[in-house]
Amino acid sequence: MAKETHQFQAETKKLLDLMIHSIYTNREIFLRELISNASDAIDKLHFESLTNRDLLEGNSDYEIFLIPDEASHTLTISDNGLGMNREELIENLGTIAKSGTKAFLEKLQQAKEGDNDTQKDLIGQFGVGFYSAFMVAEKITVVSRKAGEAQAYKWESTADGSYTIEECTKDSRGTNITITLLPEFYGDKAEENFTDTYKLQSLVKKYSDYVRYPIKMNFVIEEQPKDADGKPIEGAGTIKKNEVRILNSMQPLWAKNKSEIKEEEYTEFYQNLFHDWEKPMEVMHNKIEGNIEYTSLLFFPAHAPYNLYHSDYEPGLQLYSRHVFIMDKCKDLLPEYLRFVKGLVDSPDFSLNISRELLQQSRELKLIGKNLEKTILKQLANTLKKDRSKYEQFWKEYGKSLKIGIYGSVYNGGSDVVNKLKDLLLFTTSKEDKLITLKEYVENMPESQKKIYYATGKDRASIDSLPQMEILRDKGIDVLYFLDNVDEFAIEVMREYEGKPFHSISRGDLDLDDVESQEVKKETETIAKSNEDLIKDIKETLGDKVAEVKISSRLKSSAVCLVADEQGPSFAMEQAFADANNPMFKARRILEINPKHDLFARLQKVHEQGKESTAFKDYCSLLYAQALLIEGMMPEDPAAIANKIAELMAK
Ligand SMILES: Nc1ncnc2c1ncn2[C@@H]1O[C@H](COP(=O)(O)OP(=O)(O)OP(=O)(O)O)[C@@H](O)[C@H]1O
């Protein structure tokens, strides 16, 4: 095969330009990224070799080698992992397949130009992998031979928009990545010299100490020759000697005693393993002995990843058995609603070469999973009790996960899940822009209040201005604010909390049970009776637009409002269904009219002109349009409505 030149995909080009002109100061992270790729490639080989021993070609001494060379000012990172063939080199190093990197680029474009802090944050957050090497490289050469295949390939690029691929030879399987360093990154005068063995050693210690394969490097040591007794020979001058040293401790942090581990160690470990630049929000390290034996080290990232609720997010914990890595992203340990938890579990009860399928059925795995879930929920309950502001921070990032868990319990877990999560929920309320638990809400309910009231809206202001809110505010009844799409769905599944049913202020009757409300209700019924014809004619005029027209007992200063029937979905749910392409789930609309409003008297007057009169018809459609607008919905024919208003105003 002759040498081929390929163009980078447009997005890769963008990323490379960014790396070259990066103002990111932490350029040294490229080494961590390449070592982590090398370690992943060994993991992959190890995993595949469980079912195909031949891939090992007789060598299962996994290792990563760093080879700095001052003379050619290069640094090579070599691994004996799975390697890549021609197609894989093109696919992995020529395009950006990872949606994460795509999202990174989008975010970056959104960030204001010259916003250096955001740029820094993003490079750290997304960990741009292989391409980060272009921050320090003039040229990168990748020589790789895939395990089990004979032909090796050489990929090379100066990041000028293209790369070349050609056949080459390589005896051992795996990948060598050679970076020809930019002038500012080699030599004694360099700001950072990446050919300096001691610099490299300290970087490995800092970022890659826990990598589970040995990271080796050759050191040239100057020594005084020794005599037969091992004593240095005086005046003999020094001799140079090569010595291969392992740079990383490989000692898993989780195997140490909790009391011996410093907070910074957990942070570094977490950042290293999960490519995060921030400190984790929570660290949970537990060693369990007894019936079942395991150590778990779990983290909550400081911020929810941008794709936590998308299908491309891969949840799961790492599995180890006696410190030997078995599997990444094992989904079967934790329930869906804890998908944001990162970390690992090490248990001698896991078998080393177990397949994913068998693992799913493993009794030990199920037991450990149940325990981990309990530990996490207990920790959350504890934080809620003892450190409210920390819990609120957690809630801001991951509250949605728990609510989705409750909603999802219909299909997965049932009331058991609801019971586990109901006391961890937080909502703001009409009384204060402060988060409270359901328990706190119920404790503050007046004696006569039998239901938990809630209102749905896009923000506090839009709920505050709902006409239905006025009466509740006047009566001092607190209302939970549902500002997240999933809130109402989750609450629909719960139905009640400690025997108190949830009730939307925009659905069904309010059922306020105090004496005053009972009286108003009676009065409303009387008004409704004496206005039966009017109500019937409004309904007839509006036709299918509304299911029912009613005299309202819930309105104070507003003339009308629209509520949904208690049985069907609410307007917010209707909207959510429509957004999810399910427009058939429609709320049953009920138009409520305030009999105490001056408009009602006017309506009665206009009705005297007859139900077929233009004036009456216009009044009906304007009433309905008003009600829609209050709910944040658009009337079907806004232009016609505007004309009608103009006509009426001109009168
Ligand atoms: N040393 C290597 N051996 C084998 N394959 C490699 C090696 N380095 C990179 N690759 C391949 O190239 C792909 C792209 O690497 P890159 O570092 O850009 O992203 P990543 O490792 O998938 O993601 P991240 O860096 O966010 O973990 C990898 O997924 C892997 O398939």
Side-chain angles (χ1 to χ4, degrees), residues 38-96:
S39 162
D40 290 348
I42 300 178
D43 278 347
K44 282 184 206 158
L45 173 70
H46 174 70
F47 201 70
E48 287 199 18
S49 74
L50 297 177
T51 46
N52 181 4
R53 290 294 298 171
D54 294 345
L55 288 179
L56 294 177
E57 299 170 8
N59 177 8
S60 60
D61 291 334
Y62 301 126
E63 61 179 21
I64 298 165
F65 232 101
L66 303 188
I67 311 156
D69 182 17
E70 272 191 51
S72 62
H73 40 89
T74 57
L75 170 64
T76 299
I77 293 101
S78 163
D79 69 67
N80 57 2
L82 188 61
M84 285 174 276
N85 56 26
R86 179 179 170 275
E87 287 68 38
E88 285 164 339
L89 281 166
I90 294 175
E91 177 63 29
N92 296 332
L93 308 184
T95 63
I96 297 178

Coordinates of all heavy atoms in Angstrom, one line a residue, residues 38-96:
A38 N -3.8 4.3 26.6 CA -3.0 3.1 26.5 C -3.5 2.1 27.5 O -3.6 0.9 27.2 CB -1.5 3.5 26.9
S39 N -3.9 2.6 28.7 CA -4.4 1.6 29.7 C -5.8 1.1 29.2 O -6.0 -0.1 29.4 CB -4.5 2.4 31.0 OG -5.4 1.8 31.9
D40 N -6.6 1.9 28.6 CA -7.9 1.4 28.0 C -7.6 0.3 27.0 O -8.3 -0.7 26.9 CB -8.7 2.5 27.3 CG -9.2 3.5 28.3 OD1 -9.2 3.2 29.6 OD2 -9.7 4.6 27.9
A41 N -6.6 0.6 26.1 CA -6.3 -0.4 25.0 C -5.8 -1.7 25.6 O -6.1 -2.8 25.1 CB -5.2 0.2 24.1
I42 N -5.2 -1.7 26.8 CA -4.7 -2.9 27.4 C -6.0 -3.6 28.1 O -6.1 -4.8 27.9 CB -3.6 -2.7 28.5 CG1 -2.4 -2.1 27.8 CG2 -3.3 -4.0 29.2 CD1 -1.2 -1.8 28.7
D43 N -6.8 -2.8 28.7 CA -8.1 -3.4 29.2 C -8.8 -4.1 28.1 O -9.3 -5.2 28.3 CB -9.0 -2.2 29.7 CG -8.7 -1.7 31.1 OD1 -7.9 -2.4 31.8 OD2 -9.2 -0.7 31.5
K44 N -8.9 -3.5 27.0 CA -9.7 -4.1 25.9 C -9.1 -5.4 25.4 O -9.8 -6.4 25.2 CB -9.7 -3.1 24.7 CG -10.7 -2.0 24.8 CD -10.8 -1.2 23.5 CE -11.2 0.3 23.8 NZ -10.8 1.2 22.8
L45 N -7.8 -5.4 25.3 CA -7.1 -6.6 24.9 C -7.3 -7.7 26.0 O -7.7 -8.9 25.6 CB -5.6 -6.4 24.8 CG -4.8 -7.7 24.5 CD1 -5.1 -8.2 23.1 CD2 -3.3 -7.4 24.7
H46 N -7.2 -7.3 27.2 CA -7.4 -8.3 28.3 C -8.8 -8.9 28.2 O -9.0 -10.1 28.3 CB -7.2 -7.6 29.7 CG -7.5 -8.4 30.8 ND1 -6.7 -9.5 31.2 CD2 -8.5 -8.4 31.7 CE1 -7.2 -10.1 32.2 NE2 -8.3 -9.5 32.6
F47 N -9.8 -8.0 28.0 CA -11.1 -8.5 28.0 C -11.4 -9.5 26.8 O -11.9 -10.5 27.0 CB -12.1 -7.3 27.9 CG -13.5 -7.6 28.3 CD1 -13.7 -7.9 29.7 CD2 -14.5 -7.7 27.4 CE1 -15.0 -8.2 30.1 CE2 -15.8 -8.0 27.9 CZ -16.0 -8.2 29.2
E48 N -10.8 -9.1 25.6 CA -11.0 -9.9 24.5 C -10.2 -11.2 24.6 O -10.6 -12.3 24.1 CB -10.6 -9.2 23.2 CG -11.6 -8.1 22.8 CD -11.5 -7.7 21.4 OE1 -10.9 -8.4 20.6 OE2 -12.0 -6.6 21.1
S49 N -9.1 -11.2 25.3 CA -8.3 -12.4 25.4 C -8.9 -13.4 26.3 O -8.5 -14.6 26.3 CB -6.9 -12.0 26.0 OG -7.0 -11.7 27.3
L50 N -9.9 -13.0 27.1 CA -10.6 -14.0 27.9 C -11.3 -15.1 27.0 O -11.4 -16.2 27.4 CB -11.7 -13.4 28.8 CG -11.1 -12.4 29.8 CD1 -12.2 -11.7 30.6 CD2 -10.1 -13.1 30.8
T51 N -11.7 -14.7 25.9 CA -12.4 -15.6 25.0 C -11.5 -16.0 23.8 O -11.8 -16.9 23.0 CB -13.7 -15.0 24.4 OG1 -13.5 -13.7 24.0 CG2 -14.8 -15.0 25.5
N52 N -10.4 -15.3 23.7 CA -9.4 -15.6 22.6 C -8.0 -15.4 23.0 O -7.4 -14.4 22.8 CB -9.8 -14.7 21.4 CG -8.9 -15.0 20.2 OD1 -8.1 -15.9 20.2 ND2 -9.1 -14.2 19.1
R53 N -7.4 -16.5 23.6 CA -6.1 -16.5 24.2 C -5.0 -16.1 23.2 O -4.0 -15.5 23.5 CB -5.7 -17.8 24.8 CG -6.4 -18.2 26.1 CD -6.1 -17.4 27.3 NE -4.8 -17.3 27.8 CZ -4.4 -16.5 28.7 NH1 -5.3 -15.7 29.3 NH2 -3.2 -16.5 29.1
D54 N -5.3 -16.5 21.9 CA -4.3 -16.3 20.8 C -3.9 -14.8 20.7 O -2.8 -14.5 20.3 CB -4.8 -16.8 19.5 CG -5.0 -18.3 19.5 OD1 -4.5 -18.9 20.5 OD2 -5.7 -18.8 18.6
L55 N -4.8 -13.9 21.0 CA -4.6 -12.5 20.9 C -3.3 -12.0 21.7 O -2.6 -11.1 21.3 CB -5.8 -11.7 21.3 CG -7.0 -11.7 20.4 CD1 -8.1 -10.8 21.0 CD2 -6.6 -11.2 19.0
L56 N -3.0 -12.8 22.7 CA -1.9 -12.4 23.6 C -0.6 -12.7 23.0 O 0.5 -12.1 23.4 CB -2.0 -13.0 25.0 CG -3.2 -12.6 25.8 CD1 -3.3 -13.4 27.1 CD2 -3.2 -11.1 26.1
E57 N -0.6 -13.5 21.9 CA 0.7 -13.9 21.2 C 1.8 -14.3 22.3 O 2.9 -13.9 22.1 CB 1.2 -12.7 20.4 CG 0.2 -12.3 19.3 CD 0.5 -11.0 18.6 OE1 1.6 -10.4 18.8 OE2 -0.3 -10.5 17.8
G58 N 1.3 -14.9 23.3 CA 2.2 -15.5 24.3 C 2.8 -14.5 25.3 O 3.6 -14.8 26.1
N59 N 2.3 -13.2 25.2 CA 2.8 -12.2 26.1 C 1.7 -11.5 26.9 O 0.9 -10.7 26.3 CB 3.6 -11.2 25.3 CG 4.1 -10.1 26.2 OD1 4.0 -10.1 27.5 ND2 4.7 -9.0 25.6
S60 N 1.5 -11.9 28.2 CA 0.5 -11.2 28.9 C 1.1 -10.3 30.0 O 0.4 -10.0 31.0 CB -0.4 -12.3 29.6 OG 0.3 -13.1 30.4
D61 N 2.3 -9.9 29.8 CA 2.9 -8.9 30.7 C 2.6 -7.5 30.2 O 3.3 -6.9 29.4 CB 4.4 -9.0 30.8 CG 4.8 -10.3 31.5 OD1 4.0 -10.8 32.3 OD2 5.9 -10.9 31.2
Y62 N 1.4 -7.1 30.6 CA 1.0 -5.8 30.1 C 1.9 -4.6 30.6 O 2.3 -4.6 31.8 CB -0.5 -5.5 30.6 CG -1.4 -6.6 30.1 CD1 -2.2 -7.2 31.1 CD2 -1.6 -6.9 28.8 CE1 -3.2 -8.2 30.7 CE2 -2.5 -7.9 28.4 CZ -3.3 -8.5 29.4 OH -4.2 -9.5 29.0
E63 N 2.2 -3.7 29.8 CA 3.0 -2.5 30.2 C 2.8 -1.3 29.3 O 2.4 -1.4 28.1 CB 4.4 -2.9 30.3 CG 5.0 -3.3 29.0 CD 6.5 -3.7 29.1 OE1 7.0 -4.0 30.1 OE2 7.2 -3.6 28.0
I64 N 3.1 -0.2 29.9 CA 3.1 1.1 29.1 C 4.5 1.6 29.3 O 5.1 1.6 30.4 CB 2.1 2.1 29.7 CG1 0.7 1.5 29.6 CG2 2.2 3.4 29.0 CD1 -0.3 2.2 30.4
F65 N 5.2 2.0 28.2 CA 6.5 2.5 28.3 C 6.6 4.0 27.8 O 6.0 4.3 26.8 CB 7.4 1.7 27.3 CG 8.6 1.1 28.0 CD1 8.7 -0.2 28.5 CD2 9.7 1.9 28.3 CE1 9.8 -0.7 29.1 CE2 10.8 1.4 28.9 CZ 10.9 0.1 29.4
L66 N 7.3 4.8 28.6 CA 7.6 6.2 28.1 C 9.0 6.2 27.6 O 9.9 5.8 28.3 CB 7.4 7.2 29.3 CG 6.0 7.2 30.0 CD1 6.0 8.4 31.0 CD2 4.9 7.3 29.0
I67 N 9.2 6.8 26.4 CA 10.5 6.9 25.9 C 10.8 8.3 25.4 O 10.5 8.7 24.3 CB 10.7 5.9 24.7 CG1 10.2 4.5 25.1 CG2 12.2 5.8 24.2 CD1 9.8 3.7 23.9
P68 N 11.4 9.1 26.3 CA 11.8 10.4 25.9 C 13.1 10.4 25.2 O 14.0 9.6 25.5 CB 12.0 11.2 27.3 CG 12.3 10.1 28.3 CD 11.8 8.8 27.7
D69 N 13.3 11.2 24.2 CA 14.6 11.3 23.4 C 15.0 12.7 23.2 O 14.3 13.4 22.3 CB 14.4 10.5 22.1 CG 15.8 10.4 21.4 OD1 16.8 10.7 22.0 OD2 15.7 10.1 20.2
E70 N 16.0 13.1 23.9 CA 16.4 14.5 23.8 C 16.9 14.9 22.4 O 16.6 15.9 21.8 CB 17.5 14.9 24.8 CG 16.9 15.3 26.1 CD 17.9 15.9 27.0 OE1 18.6 16.8 26.6 OE2 18.0 15.4 28.2
A71 N 17.7 13.9 21.8 CA 18.3 14.2 20.5 C 17.3 14.5 19.4 O 17.4 15.5 18.7 CB 19.2 13.0 20.1
S72 N 16.2 13.7 19.4 CA 15.2 13.9 18.3 C 14.1 14.7 18.9 O 13.0 14.9 18.2 CB 14.7 12.6 17.8 OG 14.1 11.8 18.8
H73 N 14.2 15.2 20.1 CA 13.2 15.9 20.8 C 11.8 15.3 20.6 O 10.8 16.0 20.2 CB 13.2 17.4 20.6 CG 13.5 17.9 19.2 ND1 12.5 18.1 18.3 CD2 14.6 18.2 18.6 CE1 13.0 18.5 17.2 NE2 14.3 18.6 17.4
T74 N 11.7 14.1 20.9 CA 10.4 13.3 20.9 C 10.1 12.7 22.2 O 11.0 12.4 23.0 CB 10.5 12.2 19.8 OG1 11.6 11.3 20.1 CG2 10.7 12.8 18.4
L75 N 8.9 12.4 22.4 CA 8.4 11.6 23.5 C 7.5 10.5 22.9 O 6.6 10.8 22.2 CB 7.7 12.4 24.5 CG 7.0 11.7 25.6 CD1 8.0 10.9 26.5 CD2 6.1 12.6 26.5
T76 N 7.8 9.2 23.2 CA 7.0 8.1 22.7 C 6.3 7.5 23.9 O 6.9 7.2 24.9 CB 7.9 7.1 22.0 OG1 8.5 7.8 20.9 CG2 7.0 5.9 21.5
I77 N 5.0 7.2 23.7 CA 4.2 6.5 24.7 C 3.8 5.2 24.0 O 3.2 5.2 23.0 CB 2.9 7.3 25.1 CG1 3.3 8.5 25.9 CG2 2.0 6.4 26.0 CD1 3.3 9.7 25.1
S78 N 4.3 4.1 24.6 CA 4.2 2.8 23.9 C 3.3 1.9 24.8 O 3.5 1.8 26.0 CB 5.6 2.2 23.7 OG 5.5 0.9 23.4
D79 N 2.4 1.1 24.2 CA 1.7 0.2 25.0 C 1.6 -1.1 24.2 O 1.7 -1.2 23.0 CB 0.3 0.7 25.3 CG -0.7 0.8 24.1 OD1 -1.0 -0.2 23.5 OD2 -1.0 2.0 23.7
N80 N 1.3 -2.2 25.0 CA 1.1 -3.5 24.3 C -0.3 -4.0 24.5 O -0.7 -5.1 24.8 CB 2.1 -4.6 24.8 CG 2.1 -4.8 26.3 OD1 1.3 -4.2 27.0 ND2 2.9 -5.7 26.8
G81 N -1.2 -3.0 24.2 CA -2.7 -3.2 24.2 C -3.2 -3.8 22.9 O -2.5 -4.4 22.2
L82 N -4.4 -3.5 22.7 CA -5.1 -4.1 21.5 C -4.6 -3.6 20.2 O -4.6 -4.3 19.2 CB -6.6 -3.8 21.6 CG -7.5 -4.5 20.7 CD1 -7.4 -6.1 20.8 CD2 -9.0 -4.1 20.9
G83 N -4.2 -2.3 20.1 CA -3.7 -1.8 18.8 C -4.8 -1.4 17.9 O -6.0 -1.6 18.2
M84 N -4.5 -0.8 16.8 CA -5.5 -0.4 15.8 C -5.1 -0.8 14.4 O -3.9 -0.7 14.1 CB -5.7 1.1 15.8 CG -6.4 1.7 17.0 SD -6.4 3.5 17.0 CE -4.8 3.8 17.8
N85 N -6.0 -1.2 13.6 CA -5.7 -1.5 12.2 C -6.0 -0.2 11.4 O -6.3 0.8 11.9 CB -6.5 -2.7 11.7 CG -8.0 -2.5 11.8 OD1 -8.4 -1.4 11.9 ND2 -8.7 -3.6 11.9
R86 N -5.8 -0.3 10.1 CA -5.9 0.9 9.2 C -7.3 1.6 9.4 O -7.3 2.8 9.6 CB -5.7 0.4 7.7 CG -5.8 1.6 6.8 CD -5.6 1.1 5.3 NE -6.0 2.2 4.4 CZ -7.2 2.4 4.0 NH1 -8.2 1.7 4.4 NH2 -7.4 3.5 3.2
E87 N -8.3 0.8 9.3 CA -9.7 1.4 9.4 C -9.9 2.1 10.8 O -10.5 3.1 10.9 CB -10.8 0.3 9.2 CG -10.9 -0.2 7.8 CD -9.7 -1.1 7.4 OE1 -9.1 -1.8 8.2 OE2 -9.3 -0.9 6.2
E88 N -9.4 1.4 11.8 CA -9.5 2.0 13.1 C -8.7 3.3 13.3 O -9.2 4.2 14.0 CB -9.2 0.9 14.2 CG -10.3 -0.1 14.3 CD -9.8 -1.4 15.1 OE1 -8.6 -1.6 15.2 OE2 -10.7 -2.1 15.5
L89 N -7.6 3.3 12.7 CA -6.8 4.6 12.8 C -7.5 5.7 12.1 O -7.6 6.8 12.7 CB -5.4 4.4 12.1 CG -4.4 3.6 12.9 CD1 -3.2 3.2 12.0 CD2 -3.8 4.5 14.0
I90 N -8.1 5.4 11.0 CA -8.9 6.4 10.3 C -10.1 6.9 11.1 O -10.4 8.0 11.3 CB -9.4 5.9 8.9 CG1 -8.1 5.7 8.0 CG2 -10.3 6.9 8.2 CD1 -8.4 5.1 6.7
E91 N -10.8 5.8 11.6 CA -12.0 6.1 12.4 C -11.8 6.8 13.7 O -12.4 7.8 14.0 CB -12.7 4.7 12.6 CG -14.0 4.8 13.5 CD -15.1 5.5 12.8 OE1 -15.1 5.6 11.6 OE2 -15.9 6.1 13.6
N92 N -10.7 6.4 14.4 CA -10.5 6.9 15.7 C -9.7 8.2 15.8 O -9.9 9.0 16.6 CB -9.8 5.9 16.6 CG -10.7 4.6 16.8 OD1 -11.9 4.7 16.8 ND2 -10.0 3.5 17.1
L93 N -8.8 8.3 14.8 CA -7.9 9.5 14.9 C -8.1 10.4 13.8 O -7.4 11.5 13.7 CB -6.4 9.0 14.9 CG -6.0 8.0 16.0 CD1 -4.5 7.7 15.9 CD2 -6.4 8.4 17.4
G94 N -9.1 10.2 12.9 CA -9.3 11.1 11.8 C -10.7 11.8 12.0 O -10.9 12.9 11.4
T95 N -11.6 11.2 12.7 CA -12.9 11.8 12.9 C -13.2 11.9 14.3 O -12.5 11.4 15.2 CB -14.0 10.9 12.3 OG1 -14.0 9.7 13.0 CG2 -13.7 10.5 10.8
I96 N -14.2 12.7 14.6 CA -14.7 12.7 16.0 C -16.0 12.0 16.1 O -17.0 12.4 15.7 CB -14.9 14.2 16.4 CG1 -13.5 14.9 16.4 CG2 -15.4 14.2 17.8 CD1 -13.6 16.3 16.7

